[in-house]
Amino acid sequence: MSLQCGIVGLPNVGKSTLFNCLSNAKAQSANFPFCTIEPNVGVITVPDERLIKLGEICHPERGVIPTTVEIVDIAGLVKGASKGEGLGNKFLANIRETDAIIHVLRCFDDENVVHVDGSVNPVRDKEIIDAELQLKDLETVESRIQKCEKAAKAGGDKNAKLQLEVLVKYREALSQGKNARTVELENKDQKAAAKDLFLLTNKPVMYVCNVDESAAVTGNAYVEQVKEAVKDEDAQVLVLAAKIESEIAELETYEERQMFLEEIGLQESGVNRLIKAAYALLNLRTFLTAGSDEVRAWTFKAGYKAPQCAGVIHTDFERGFIRAEVIKYADFIELGGEAQCRAAGKLATEGKDYLVQDGDIMHFLFNV
């Protein structure tokens, strides 16, 4: 399932440092703008503690196979990007191709790291990028309004009238400097019409506050300013120290990394928290398969039913779906395996309408 989160932000806020922590595909990281010209794509393993416990029970021959998510490092945007400044058109096109946005904000002071606007102000930085994305969205909306107005008048097109209603709502919000995701749509039809617009500021977003080591656990005043600025948006705020994360990533063993985290007061690395949050931001969930051959995590979109999840493994599984055998993760761990769950009546047989839940351990029966 190829869904991508794009990392965006002004130059020198820590995007590429963060990306390097996330991926073995090393992006350049230097103290000047436009260091990253082409977007770097990293396929990132999604941390899942459930797999470790299942592996301890099943002892799979082929091992434990986690699922992944794609992260794209997009070059730093600057003021005027919507008009092509700083290679802006190309960068905006790269953002358009992603499914969700990770917006990195500089929330640390360091006189040795140049800020493109001369001072540290994460709310201003957010507003600069928001404004560029909003201007591009406004162009899109204005263009579509003209087409819809003609179609609605000429042929009384109901779909055109519906889309026009949605477009006018977006135009009003964008003209006021608000993101499209702040617009409340009235019904399912309007929401369906909105999806076809692919607006940049309607993508799910997570704000990552890049802090120094002293604020890695508690945050700081800059973080509080960001939280206040985004309180009306449907957005997450995550705090991490990219510089510290890069040092953790260099450590060779899990034990060393955990010791480092404990020393600075963290239970889990910011990178792990970010990957999990990005996975959720894309509305992704995980079902599991567990046996003596392998333990494996599989990605599905929230709302998938059993046949669709079967199709994630192989299209033949969906085409010839008969039923699914489902064990809840908690039962599998508590009872110690599939055989024990089967004997205790904790294995459920589900049909085509079963809505798969995150963490379900699945076995599909099919015939083609």
Side-chain angles (χ1 to χ4, degrees), residues 229-292:
V230 306
K231 66 182 181 181
D232 294 329
E233 290 191 46
D234 183 17
Q236 301 178 50
V237 176
L238 187 142
V239 179
L240 61 74
K243 188 175 179 182
I244 296 301
E245 295 292 331
S246 66
E247 293 176 15
I248 293 171
E250 294 298 322
L251 299 174
E252 292 185 5
T253 68
Y254 173 80
E255 289 74 18
E256 286 179 310
R257 291 192 289 272
Q258 286 303 114
M259 194 179 300
F260 192 117
L261 287 169
E262 287 172 13
E263 285 177 5
I264 61 175
L266 290 173
Q267 292 184 331
E268 184 179 27
S269 76
V271 163
N272 276 11
R273 288 185 288 114
L274 174 58
I275 296 169
K276 290 176 181 177
Y279 192 73
L281 190 66
L282 291 166
N283 206 22
L284 299 178
R285 303 290 184 269
T286 302
F287 73 87
L288 306 158
T289 52
S292 58

Side-chain angles (χ1 to χ4, degrees), residues 8-263:
V8 305
L10 291 179
N12 291 350
V13 297
K15 297 185 318 304
S16 294
T17 301
L18 181 57
F19 181 81
N20 290 344
C21 297
L22 291 166
S23 171
N24 289 327
K26 296 291 185 183
Q28 279 185 299
S29 179
N31 186 18
F32 56 88
F34 308 121
C35 179
T36 310
I37 302 302
E38 296 297 331
N40 295 277
V41 180
V43 179
I44 315 299
T45 296
V46 178
D48 194 332
E49 295 78 7
R50 295 173 299 194
L51 292 173
I52 298 170
K53 292 183 179 180
L54 289 174
E56 291 170 351
I57 290 173
C58 297
H59 306 290
E61 289 181 17
R62 293 203 298 269
V64 174
I65 304 170
T67 191
T68 59
V69 63
E70 289 189 7
I71 308 287
V72 186
D73 180 26
I74 297 169
L77 288 169
V78 295
K79 191 179 292 185
S82 60
K83 297 181 175 63
E85 294 291 332
L87 305 179
N89 285 333
K90 188 168 186 178
F91 300 162
L92 289 166
N94 291 332
I95 295 170
R96 195 177 297 281
E97 291 170 6
T98 65
D99 301 283
I101 295 173
I102 299 170
H103 188 159
V104 182
L105 297 166
R106 176 172 169 177
C107 294
F108 65 90
D109 294 305
D110 187 340
E111 61 184 19
N112 296 316
V113 180
V114 176
H115 190 288
V116 71
D117 281 326
S119 63
V120 178
N121 185 332
V123 174
R124 176 203 59 207
D125 294 353
K126 170 196 175 306
E127 289 171 351
I128 287 172
I129 288 196
D130 278 354
E132 298 306 320
L133 301 182
Q134 289 162 10
L135 286 168
K136 205 66 183 174
D137 279 350
L138 196 54
E139 282 182 25
T140 301
V141 167
E142 294 284 11
S143 174
R144 294 290 286 270
I145 282 177
Q146 291 177 11
K147 292 177 182 177
C148 284
E149 283 178 336
K150 289 179 182 177
K153 288 177 182 177
D157 188 329
K158 289 184 179 179
N159 288 332
K161 287 180 178 178
L162 175 64
Q163 196 164 71
L164 187 58
E165 291 174 7
V166 174
L167 286 164
V168 169
K169 284 177 178 283
Y170 282 136
R171 180 172 63 183
E172 183 178 352
L174 292 164
S175 299
Q176 293 173 5
K178 296 178 182 177
N179 290 320
R181 73 180 69 87
T182 64
V183 173
E184 293 187 14
L185 299 175
E186 295 169 12
N187 51 51
K188 290 181 181 179
D189 292 337
Q190 286 192 350
K191 290 175 182 177
K195 282 185 180 179
D196 294 335
L197 299 173
F198 302 105
L199 298 178
L200 299 172
T201 63
N202 212 17
K203 293 179 184 290
V205 65
M206 172 169 51
Y207 295 100
V208 175
C209 295
N210 184 15
V211 300
D212 57 23
E213 181 178 351
S214 66
V217 178
T218 59
N220 56 25
Y222 292 133
V223 173
E224 294 309 310
Q225 291 166 18
V226 171
K227 288 180 178 178
E228 178 64 23
V230 306
K231 66 182 181 181
D232 294 329
E233 290 191 46
D234 183 17
Q236 301 178 50
V237 176
L238 187 142
V239 179
L240 61 74
K243 188 175 179 182
I244 296 301
E245 295 292 331
S246 66
E247 293 176 15
I248 293 171
E250 294 298 322
L251 299 174
E252 292 185 5
T253 68
Y254 173 80
E255 289 74 18
E256 286 179 310
R257 291 192 289 272
Q258 286 303 114
M259 194 179 300
F260 192 117
L261 287 169
E262 287 172 13
E263 285 177 5

